[in-house]
Amino acid sequence: MRRWSAGGGQFDSKLALVCAVANDFVPKWRPVFDALMALEGPHVAELEQWATFYINFHRENAAICGLLTQVAGLEDRLYWQLSEQRDDLIDDLGRRFSAFRRAADDQAVRLRARLLLGQIDETCFLIVHRRVPDPGQHAPRLIAEQIHALLDCAAT
């Protein structure tokens, strides 16, 4: 059996290596969402600034973000690992935002939050890797509006 090594670790498969990369990457992306939780309003304009920050994070980490996005689409093991990370993020966002807090008890809201976070990552991937052109730089505003819509659902 061929073994893969990286960062001092030995892995039985390329997938095991990618899963380890996903775990090791959490401390890099979590502060981006800490910044989201620190927003005052948040209003669409603040969310748009955060979305620009998140797209730039994807741009600065294009290789890892692209790898995780693409492999998760093909490999269930990584998909579910990332889904568990996303669910943990939803729970953490619930400490700051009532819409995410509602996701703990309301399966429809949890689904909406999961879809939103997945769509944000997919949008960042598509924009950063130029799969979808955005010459007018509209993506941050669209991401902000999606987040704002979920946050507004707590009021209804």
Side-chain angles (χ1 to χ4, degrees):
M1 175 195 300
R2 183 169 183 180
R3 295 183 59 80
W4 302 86
S5 60
Q10 293 285 321
F11 303 94
D12 292 333
S13 67
K14 291 179 191 177
L15 178 58
L17 174 61
V18 174
C19 288
V21 167
N23 278 337
D24 291 348
F25 195 54
V26 173
K28 280 201 75 143
W29 63 258
R30 282 306 298 249
V32 178
F33 284 91
D34 291 342
L36 175 62
M37 289 188 277
L39 295 179
E40 288 286 322
H43 303 287
V44 173
E46 292 175 292
L47 292 168
E48 186 173 356
Q49 289 177 342
W50 177 85
T52 299
F53 177 58
Y54 193 49
I55 291 169
N56 287 334
F57 172 83
H58 271 258
R59 194 168 279 118
E60 292 163 7
N61 297 279
I64 293 174
C65 293
L67 174 72
L68 297 177
T69 298
Q70 292 178 339
V71 175
L74 300 171
E75 295 286 350
D76 283 349
R77 177 177 162 194
L78 181 62
Y79 172 83
W80 291 112
Q81 179 181 334
L82 296 179
S83 290
E84 186 175 309
Q85 291 176 0
R86 197 170 279 143
D87 278 347
D88 290 345
L89 176 60
I90 289 168
D91 294 340
D92 289 346
L93 289 168
R95 288 184 286 139
R96 167 65 177 88
F97 301 113
S98 59
F100 286 96
R101 194 168 27 259
R102 282 184 49 203
D105 299 318
D106 185 329
Q107 291 303 309
V109 175
R110 180 158 292 271
L111 175 61
R112 189 171 181 186
R114 285 173 174 158
L115 291 172
L116 171 67
L117 294 175
Q119 289 168 350
I120 291 170
D121 281 339
E122 182 71 16
T123 299
C124 290
F125 172 81
L126 293 171
I127 297 301
V128 167
H129 292 278
R130 293 181 176 87
R131 301 293 199 277
V132 175
D134 184 19
Q137 305 292 310
H138 299 289
R141 180 70 176 196
L142 297 174
I143 290 170
E145 289 170 352
Q146 287 181 311
I147 296 169
H148 195 262
L150 177 66
L151 297 179
D152 270 357
C153 90
T156 59

